[in-house]
Amino acid sequence: MAQAKFLKEADLAAWLGELAKGRKVLVPQKDGDAVVFKPWHEGVKPVLDRQATESPKKAVFPASEKLFRFSYIKDPENPGKVRVELEEPEKPEPALVFGGRPCDARGFLIFDRVYDSPKTRDSYYVARREATAFVTLACPEASNTCFCHAVGSGPADSAGSDALMTPVEGGYVLEAISPKGEELLKSPLLSDAGDKLAQAERVKAQAVESLPPAPDFAGSPEALMARFDDMGFWENASAKCISCGACTYLCPTCYCFSITDEESGMKGVRMRSWDNCMSYQFTLEASGHNPRPTKAHRLKNRVGHKFSYYPLIHKGAIACCGCGRCIKSCPVSVDIREIVTMAIEAAPTAEESAQPQGAKQ
C-alpha cells in the first residue's frame, strides 16, 4: 500500500483546485433539500457530513447520453437509394468523483461484470470508466438504513475507489488504492500522515461498531427462486409500493436502459437513457401484452435481479452495495432488506419441496 497522506481541512479547496486542472471534478453539493454531485468550482464547499441523496452513477453511466448522430444521404443519381452516415461522439473528458462514499464507488463493480466483461464490452461505458477516478470518503458513522456489511462490504471498503479519505482531527487521511490514486496524492499540499493514520483506523473501527445488526442474506438466490411463483408473497411485499421508481433512479447498481432515435428531417441522434423496471412501460410489448403486468411482478423482478439472478450468474456477487438509498428515499418506506429476509424465512412448503424439478413455468 502506498504511503498514507494527510490533508489539512484548510487546504481542501486548494487541493480541489489542483485536481480540477485538466479534469472535471464532481463533488456533493446542496440542491434544495437534496445533495447531488455537480461540477466543483472555486467557492464551492462540498457537503461531506452526510450521504448524497443520489449516487454518482451519472459520472460513468449518464441518465441520458448520445450514442451517435446519424444522417440519411440520398444518392443524387438514384433518389430511391439512401445511405446512412454515422458520427460518433467525442471521447469523454477526464473526470474525478470526489466525496462519494465507498458504496458509491463499489457500485461500479456491479456494472463492470455486465458492461466490461470478456463476452460483452460496452465501449461508451468503458471509455467513461477509464476516464474517471474516485476519491471516496470513509463513513465515520452508519445510519439505520445502511447495510453494506450484509453484502460483503463496509464503511471503509476501498474496492472500486482510487483513493480513500478518512476524516480525522484537523483534516483527512488519504490512502492510495490504485495507480490513479497514487497520482492524485502527489500534491505538495499533502504531507505524511504520521500518527494521524492510527486515528483514521480508530474512525473506521467506530464506524463498523455503529452499524445496525446485519441481515443474513445467505441463501437469498435459492430462497427468492423458491418464491418466484408465489404471487401472494409478492403482492404482500409490494402492497404499499406506488411504483414511483425512486429506488431505481437513486440506486448505484441499477443499470437498465432504453434506446430511442430522435429524428428531425434527414438527421437524428440515437440516445441511451436510464429506464425503470418498476414502470409498467418497461416490459410493455408492441402487441399490448405485458409479462410483468402488476407492481408485484415488477418488484419481484427488481429484488430477484439483485439478490438472485445476478448472484447466480456472477459467482455469488450480490447486485447491491447496501447504501440504503432505496430505503431512505422511498416515500412509503419499502425496505428491500425486509423483503429478502421474508423470502429466506419463508421456507418452501412440503408441497413445494415435492414439486418435480422443472414443473414451474
Side-chain angles (χ1 to χ4, degrees), residues 141-328:
E141 186 177 11
S143 71
N144 60 6
T145 53
C146 293
F147 59 102
C148 57
H149 54 329
V151 293
S153 185
D157 187 356
S158 63
S161 298
D162 294 296
L164 181 67
M165 186 167 68
T166 306
V168 295
E169 184 179 355
Y172 305 92
V173 167
L174 292 114
E175 302 166 73
I177 308 301
S178 72
K180 281 184 185 178
E182 292 177 2
E183 289 298 316
L184 295 172
L185 268 55
K186 287 182 177 179
S187 169
L189 292 170
L190 306 180
S191 59
D192 183 86
D195 59 359
K196 296 287 186 180
L197 184 58
Q199 186 180 344
E201 293 305 314
R202 289 195 296 272
V203 170
K204 295 176 186 178
Q206 290 168 4
V208 172
E209 293 173 1
S210 73
L211 282 162
D216 185 0
F217 295 142
S220 64
E222 297 77 16
L224 287 164
M225 289 303 294
R227 295 293 104 196
F228 188 85
D229 288 330
D230 184 356
M231 290 312 299
F233 174 88
W234 293 107
E235 286 166 5
N236 177 62
S238 65
K240 58 185 178 180
C241 173
I242 59 174
S243 296
C244 67
C247 52
T248 63
Y249 293 128
L250 298 178
C251 176
T253 64
C254 280
Y255 52 76
C256 292
F257 62 85
S258 61
I259 290 180
T260 55
D261 286 347
E262 299 180 2
E263 300 184 35
S264 176
M266 300 291 284
K267 297 184 177 182
V269 60
R270 178 157 293 181
M271 304 293 297
R272 171 161 67 180
S273 305
W274 292 356
D275 211 339
N276 166 23
C277 66
M278 293 305 298
S279 168
Y280 177 82
Q281 289 85 1
F282 184 75
T283 49
L284 182 62
E285 299 174 3
S287 66
H289 172 66
N290 195 331
R292 298 179 194 146
T294 71
K295 64 181 180 181
H297 288 88
R298 296 189 286 275
L299 186 64
K300 175 178 71 172
N301 176 73
R302 172 173 163 73
V303 177
H305 175 261
K306 292 185 177 298
F307 289 87
S308 183
Y309 320 148
Y310 189 102
L312 290 171
I313 294 172
H314 298 289
K315 301 180 180 179
I318 293 175
C320 173
C321 59
C323 71
R325 286 186 175 91
C326 62
I327 304 168
K328 183 183 296 183

